[in-house]
Amino acid sequence: MAQKVYAGVTVDVNEEGYFTNPSQWTREIAAEIAKEEGIDLTEQHYQVIEWLRKRYESGEALSIRSINKSGIVDVKTFYQLFPGAPLKKATKIAGIPKPASCV
Amino acid sequence: MANDKDKIKKINIICAKGAIEDVYATLVLGNGAVMEGIETNIFFTFFGLDAIVKNRMDKLHTAVVGNPALRLPGGMRMPTLLGVIPGMEAFTSWMMKKEMEKLDIPPVSEFMELITAGGGKIYACKLAMDMFKFKKEDLCEYVSGILTVGEFYELAGGEGSHIIFT
């Protein structure tokens, strides 16, 4: 298992850079991962990230559709906040595993 | 991980059939590409047009006659003759949609909303529109334009671009 240092903290990640232990995550760590992905986190980003973490903790599957129904952002804004591959990027920054969903 | 030059940069999907499974294969592939940050064009032609015609898109059916892979709940093959019973096609289609909903697969119109919100583009085939006597007003709001085959190829050009026929 690989390890990475973010914001002075050593965290466990898999070979793609996703956290293997989501409890090691902090807001400061998120900001540094986001910088690696070329994103400056705003309060809106954090709202999405925290929603993703909550959803992950409750064991519910993550899909692009669930974002639309989150009540936090619509899908268009989600794509703007995390350009490129939004669900992959957002979960990486949120310190949770990469979603295995096809939708 | 693949080199940058090996990566798929653009996906162009052609859907010529209008059964639930044909349209959903198209939409899952298309939405999946958008989610990966791949430029995505989806081109609906012939019976596939039903997927983008406003009053038809959310009422697609699956074939219960001449569909040898169709099975009854429990796994027994569905006898083709059962398929001719009135309501069987509607019932089977309803079942399919119910099962998809459980997996968080959205209805066709909502799926297209997700795809276009992510920057994916949806097009109609001009020749098929003429043949089925559809007008622009018949199409849903998610359609970006009506293209000739030449225009489609123009759109599909470029390095790392692929065409898929579902």
Side-chain angles (χ1 to χ4, degrees):
Chain A
M1 195 188 293
Q3 288 191 318
K4 261 189 133 168
V5 179
Y6 288 115
V9 184
T10 307
V11 296
D12 301 319
V13 294
N14 69 8
E15 65 284 355
E16 287 184 292
Y18 288 85
F19 276 46
T20 51
N21 184 357
S23 65
Q24 293 176 325
W25 181 92
T26 63
R27 279 172 73 101
E28 293 70 43
I29 289 175
E32 287 207 6
I33 311 171
K35 224 170 267 165
E36 276 185 0
E37 298 286 336
I39 300 170
D40 275 326
L41 292 188
T42 63
E43 205 35 54
Q44 203 177 20
H45 286 99
Y46 277 114
Q47 282 175 6
V48 175
I49 289 166
E50 267 152 28
W51 181 84
L52 288 170
R53 286 182 61 84
K54 231 179 263 163
R55 184 135 175 135
Y56 167 73
E57 279 159 22
S58 66
E60 284 174 284
L62 285 172
S63 65
I64 198 83
R65 189 190 193 195
S66 63
I67 301 287
N68 222 16
K69 292 193 283 193
S70 67
I72 296 185
V73 286
D74 59 18
V75 164
K76 202 168 191 169
T77 315
F78 184 57
Y79 273 98
Q80 283 160 359
L81 289 174
F82 303 94
L87 207 51
K88 276 163 82 178
K89 271 190 195 172
T91 47
K92 194 178 206 174
I93 297 168
I96 55 176
K98 186 163 111 177
S101 156
C102 286
V103 283
Chain B
M1 193 174 260
N3 283 328
D4 201 45
K5 75 175 186 36
D6 297 330
K7 278 198 183 142
I8 295 173
K9 295 198 178 70
K10 199 198 284 186
I11 281 290
N12 312 276
I13 309 170
I14 304 168
C15 177
K17 284 173 272 174
I20 291 176
E21 63 274 21
D22 303 308
V23 171
Y24 271 93
T26 306
L27 295 177
V28 171
L29 281 169
N31 181 61
V34 172
M35 280 170 66
E36 291 297 313
I38 299 168
E39 186 183 341
T40 306
N41 298 310
I42 308 179
F43 186 71
F44 287 96
T45 184
F46 277 86
F47 298 108
L49 283 179
D50 270 16
I52 49 172
V53 168
K54 259 186 268 181
N55 57 4
R56 297 187 183 178
M57 58 196 303
D58 286 322
K59 297 179 190 149
L60 301 179
H61 275 190
T62 201
V64 287
V65 172
N67 186 352
L70 189 69
R71 288 174 189 267
L72 296 162
M76 201 180 96
R77 240 184 243 285
M78 166 133 155
T80 285
L81 269 177
L82 274 188
V84 300
I85 298 172
M88 192 54 93
E89 187 178 291
F91 175 74
T92 307
S93 305
W94 173 79
M95 276 290 284
M96 293 256 289
K97 286 176 194 169
K98 206 179 79 175
E99 290 302 314
M100 289 197 291
E101 181 66 42
K102 279 189 207 160
L103 293 172
D104 215 17
I105 304 174
V108 172
S109 55
E110 193 188 332
F111 222 158
M112 289 194 185
E113 185 195 332
L114 297 178
I115 290 169
T116 51
K121 291 275 195 299
I122 292 168
Y123 297 97
C125 161
K126 183 177 183 305
L127 191 61
M129 291 278 290
D130 292 345
M131 188 183 142
F132 288 115
K133 313 263 185 302
F134 284 130
K135 291 189 199 73
K136 201 169 177 292
E137 307 84 75
D138 299 321
L139 301 179
C140 66
E141 61 194 289
Y142 307 111
V143 177
S144 289
I146 301 168
L147 305 182
T148 63
V149 64
E151 287 166 333
F152 168 75
Y153 280 127
E154 232 171 81
L155 204 76
E159 197 193 336
S161 179
H162 298 260
I163 296 177
I164 303 172
F165 195 98
T166 57

